[in-house]
Amino acid sequence: MTTQTYDYIIVGAGSAGCVLANRLSADSNNKVLLLETGGSDNSIFIKMPTALSIPMNTEKYAWQFNTEPEPFLDNRKMHCPRGKVLGGSSSINGMVYVRGHAKDFDEWQQHGAEGWDYQSCLPYFKKAEAFYLGGDQYRGEKGPLGVNNGNEMANPLYKAFIKAGQQAGYAQTGDYNAAQQEGFGPMHMTVKDGVRSSASREYLDPVKSRSNLTIVTGALAEKVLLEGKKASGVAYRIKGAKSQAYASKEVILSAGPIGSPHLLQLSGIGDSATLTNAGIEVNHHLPGVGQNLQDHLEFYFQYKCKQPITLNGKLGLISKALIGARWLFNRSGLGATNHFESCAFIRSKAGVEWPDIQYHFLPAAIRYDGKSAFAGHGFQVHVGHNKPKSRGAVTIKSADPTVAPNIQFNYLQHPDDIEGFRACVRLTREIIEQTAFDDYRDGEIQPGKEIQSDEQIDAFVRQAVESAYHPSCSCKMGEDEMAVVNSHTQVHGIEGLRVVDSSIFPTIPNGNLNAPTIMVAEKAADHILGQPLLNASQAKIAMTSQWQTVQRSSEI
C-alpha cells in the first residue's frame, strides 16, 4: 500500500474540483492532490459542442446511475448520469450557462447559508467568466470560462420564439444572467472558440504542469480517513491496488451530489440508523447527509415545422460528416453550438415572486439523448417547473464502495410541483400559438391536442418528463439540524473536512447548475485559503412590482 502526504486532497475533478485544484495550487507552498475516478477528457465527442448527447450516455465518461422506482412518476426509474472524467459533469453536460435568479441566492442565505446572498455571489460569477460581449457590473470578461451564444441565433426559429413570448405578453430580456432574468431572449453556453469550455479545459489544463499539483485518474475513493473527529486523509484504489493519502490541512469532497454524500456515508458520517443498516460503523451522526435531494424535471413540447429549416434535415450521415468536417477544420458552424440559442424564464402564476419555469428552445424535434427524432421537420421547446418542493435522498446500501447508493428524488410528490407542470403545458401552448410561429407551426406532435384536462396533463407529464440532470442539495449548507456543512463549507462536527460542489446548495436555483457550481467553488477557495472575500456587488436586479397580482408583465 502506497502512502503520501499533501496539504490538500480534493476528491473529484469535476466542475468544483477543477476550480479548487487551480486556485489552491496557485500558491507553490500548497501541495495538492486531485483524485478522479474517470480518465482523460481528450475526446472529440467531449470537445465538439453538438456531440453533447454522446459523452452523457457513454459509460467511459459518465456514471450511469438510475433512480429507484419513482412512486409519483408511475414507478419509472429515471436516468441520472454524472460525470466520470476530468471535468466531471462539465465535460458531459449540455453547456447551458445559467446562473439562476438573484432571489435564488438570497433564498440560500435565508436558509442559513450566511454570506451566500446574490450580492456576495455575483463577484464570483464574474471572476469565473469570460463573456463574449465583454464585462460590466454583472458579467465577467477575464475569467477562465468562455461564454457565448453559439451561432447568434442564425436559424429564424430562435427569434420567432422570442417574438412569440412578447406577443403573449411577456417581457424581453437582453441578458437573463444580468439584471433581469424574467422574459424571453438569447441563451448562453459554455463554449469558447467553438470548443466546449469545461472546467477541465479552462481550470485544469493550464496548471497541469505545476510541480505542487498531483492529478491521479482511475482512482476510486473508498472513504475519508478519520482520527477521531478529524479528517486525516483518503483511502482509494486504482485497479484494485489500495492506496492512502494524507492531508496536513484539509480533505475536500467535490464528488458531486451523488458521490459526496455517498462518500461521507462510506466514511461513517451520516444518519446513524442509515449507516448501521448498511453495515457501516458510525463515526459521526450527521442526519442531513444525503437528504434534501432536489432536481429539475423537463419535457419536450414538439411541433411539426412547415419549412425545411430545422436540424431534423441535418441528421443524415452526409450532413453530419459535413458538419464535423467544418468543425474539425475551423471550429465553426453547427458543430460549434449546443443548439439551445434562445430561451425564457417566466412565472407560473400570479403570487410567484420570481421565475419558476424555464424554456430551452431547439430548432429540431429530437430526444435530448439523440436516440430518436421526428421523421419530418420539427422544433421543440424544453420546459420545466424549476422550483420544486419535492425532496428525495441519496442513501447508502452497502459498505462496498463499488455499489451505487439508492437514489430517490420523489419527483412530483408535492402538489405544487404537479400544478407547476400543468402551467407548463397550458402556458407553452399559448406561446407557440402566437402569430410569430404562423409561418412555421404545422401541428402539435407532443403532448398532442387531445391532452387538455388536468387529469390528461398529469398522466402525460408522469410518462413524458425526464430529468434535466440537475441533482443537487444533498449535503446542504446551513446551521439547522439537517445541515451538513456550514457557510464556510466545513462539515459540521468534523475538523479538516469540507464539501464543495452542488450538493451543498440549500435549494435548487432556477436554471442549469454548472455556473453556480463553479461560482461556489471559486468562493469556497477563498474560504479555504483564508483570503479576504471579494467585495459584495451593489448591482441592482429588475423584477416586476406586480408579481402578486399578475402572472406576466411586458415591462419589468
Side-chain angles (χ1 to χ4, degrees):
M1 180 183 295
T2 61
T3 61
Q4 286 186 294
T5 300
Y6 301 85
D7 293 302
Y8 298 101
I9 300 174
I10 304 164
V11 180
S15 298
C18 288
V19 175
L20 294 175
N22 180 302
R23 301 308 188 192
L24 300 186
S25 66
D27 182 344
S28 60
N29 293 316
N30 289 331
K31 190 176 180 183
V32 179
L33 172 64
L34 178 63
L35 296 174
E36 169 56 43
T37 307
S40 170
D41 60 336
N42 187 24
S43 164
I44 187 174
F45 300 119
I46 290 176
K47 294 177 180 178
M48 183 190 294
T50 195
L52 60 93
S53 67
I54 297 175
M56 180 178 293
N57 293 282
T58 301
E59 177 69 33
K60 179 180 180 180
Y61 301 125
W63 299 98
Q64 300 297 325
F65 294 127
N66 287 287
T67 70
E68 297 301 299
E70 289 290 346
F72 308 98
L73 292 184
D74 296 339
N75 288 316
R76 294 167 58 202
K77 289 188 174 184
M78 305 293 282
H79 189 213
C80 183
R82 306 306 302 154
K84 186 178 63 174
V85 61
L86 291 176
S89 292
S90 77
S91 292
I92 69 165
N93 68 2
M95 292 157 282
V96 177
Y97 184 83
V98 182
R99 294 174 174 179
H101 195 279
K103 285 287 185 179
D104 292 324
F105 305 100
D106 293 344
E107 184 178 69
W108 287 9
Q109 178 146 297
Q110 292 163 9
H111 278 74
E114 186 65 34
W116 291 86
D117 59 295
Y118 174 70
Q119 305 293 352
S120 300
C121 291
L122 180 54
Y124 289 96
F125 278 118
K126 292 178 63 178
K127 181 179 181 180
E129 181 188 29
F131 188 46
Y132 78 125
L133 296 178
D136 57 23
Q137 61 180 327
Y138 301 97
R139 307 304 298 251
E141 61 182 338
K142 298 180 180 178
L145 199 66
V147 179
N148 69 24
N149 180 241
N151 286 329
E152 296 297 313
M153 300 190 294
N155 190 304
L157 288 166
Y158 293 121
K159 293 178 182 177
F161 179 66
I162 297 171
K163 182 65 174 177
Q166 290 180 281
Q167 291 173 344
Y170 296 95
Q172 188 171 358
T173 178
D175 187 351
Y176 62 87
N177 282 312
Q180 178 189 327
Q181 186 192 62
E182 187 169 350
F184 285 65
M187 192 162 226
H188 305 143
M189 63 189 74
T190 47
V191 173
K192 182 191 291 183
D193 299 326
V195 179
R196 177 191 290 270
S197 189
S198 69
S200 175
R201 181 189 179 205
E202 310 302 357
Y203 282 92
L204 207 55
D205 285 356
V207 303
K208 282 181 175 179
S209 61
R210 286 177 180 169
S211 60
N212 63 324
L213 174 61
T214 301
I215 302 169
V216 178
T217 57
L220 177 67
E222 297 186 315
K223 65 179 178 178
V224 176
L225 300 173
L226 298 171
E227 296 177 0
K229 298 291 184 177
K230 180 179 180 180
S232 60
V234 176
Y236 62 97
R237 69 173 75 166
I238 301 176
K239 295 180 179 179
K242 292 183 176 292
S243 297
Q244 292 182 345
Y246 290 90
S248 61
K249 292 183 178 178
E250 292 188 327
V251 173
I252 306 157
L253 305 187
S254 295
I258 308 301
S260 286
H262 187 216
L263 189 53
L264 286 173
Q265 292 168 341
L266 285 167
S267 309
I269 302 170
D271 177 71
S272 56
T274 299
L275 299 177
T276 300
N277 288 339
I280 294 173
E281 179 183 354
V282 179
N283 289 317
H284 182 60
H285 175 60
L286 196 59
V289 172
Q291 299 298 309
N292 194 49
L293 180 66
Q294 298 166 46
D295 189 19
H296 290 146
L297 286 173
E298 66 178 14
F299 69 88
Y300 319 144
F301 225 113
Q302 296 181 324
Y303 285 82
K304 299 176 186 177
C305 187
K306 294 177 182 177
Q307 300 186 31
I309 58 172
T310 73
L311 296 176
N312 291 73
K314 303 291 185 181
L315 300 177
L317 291 178
I318 295 176
S319 293
K320 285 183 176 181
L322 291 173
I323 291 168
R326 179 174 176 181
W327 183 85
L328 284 169
F329 284 114
N330 58 19
R331 301 294 194 262
S332 67
L334 292 177
T337 175
N338 64 7
H339 306 293
F340 296 111
E341 296 184 16
S342 64
C343 66
F345 298 86
I346 66 173
R347 292 175 294 111
S348 60
K349 61 183 179 180
V352 173
E353 188 176 1
W354 69 94
D356 60 344
I357 289 177
Q358 178 181 3
Y359 291 104
H360 305 60
F361 185 84
L362 184 70
I366 187 171
R367 281 178 55 93
Y368 189 70
D369 60 14
K371 291 180 179 177
S372 64
F374 175 63
H377 280 275
F379 59 87
Q380 69 191 36
V381 60
H382 297 216
V383 58
H385 179 247
N386 268 12
K387 296 295 288 183
K389 294 182 180 178
S390 303
R391 300 290 184 264
V394 176
T395 310
I396 193 168
K397 59 185 177 184
S398 170
D400 183 347
T402 66
V403 176
N406 284 332
I407 303 169
Q408 186 89 70
F409 287 96
N410 291 318
Y411 294 117
L412 300 187
Q413 179 184 44
H414 198 285
D416 286 359
D417 300 348
I418 297 172
E419 183 182 339
F421 270 95
R422 291 174 184 168
C424 287
V425 172
R426 294 193 166 107
L427 294 173
T428 306
R429 272 203 179 115
E430 181 188 3
I431 292 164
I432 305 299
E433 289 298 323
Q434 298 299 314
T435 59
F437 276 110
D438 283 354
D439 291 339
Y440 309 109
R441 184 187 57 250
D442 192 24
E444 188 176 307
I445 303 170
Q446 179 179 290
K449 282 293 188 181
E450 70 280 5
I451 306 299
Q452 295 290 339
S453 69
D454 285 353
E455 293 74 18
Q456 289 171 330
I457 291 172
D458 294 349
F460 163 77
V461 168
R462 288 194 301 270
Q463 281 297 309
V465 288
E466 299 179 6
S467 172
Y469 311 120
H470 300 160
S472 54
C473 309
S474 51
C475 295
K476 77 170 187 174
M477 181 164 39
E479 297 298 330
D480 63 83
E481 64 179 10
M482 295 302 289
V484 175
V485 301
N486 63 20
S487 297
H488 289 186
T489 72
Q490 297 161 316
V491 174
H492 286 295
I494 299 291
E495 184 182 349
L497 181 61
R498 298 186 196 243
V499 181
V500 180
D501 54 37
S502 67
S503 70
I504 70 171
F505 296 1
T507 56
I508 193 167
N510 178 42
N512 307 65
L513 299 193
N514 191 238
T517 300
I518 289 173
M519 176 277 292
V520 161
E522 286 279 20
K523 190 170 186 288
D526 281 351
H527 283 295
I528 295 166
L529 293 170
Q531 296 178 168
L533 299 181
L534 298 179
N535 292 330
S537 171
Q538 300 302 313
K540 305 299 182 183
I541 62 170
M543 298 176 61
T544 177
S545 60
Q546 299 176 299
W547 63 270
Q548 292 177 311
T549 57
V550 300
Q551 180 265 327
R552 71 194 74 175
S553 175
S554 60
E555 298 291 336
I556 294 177

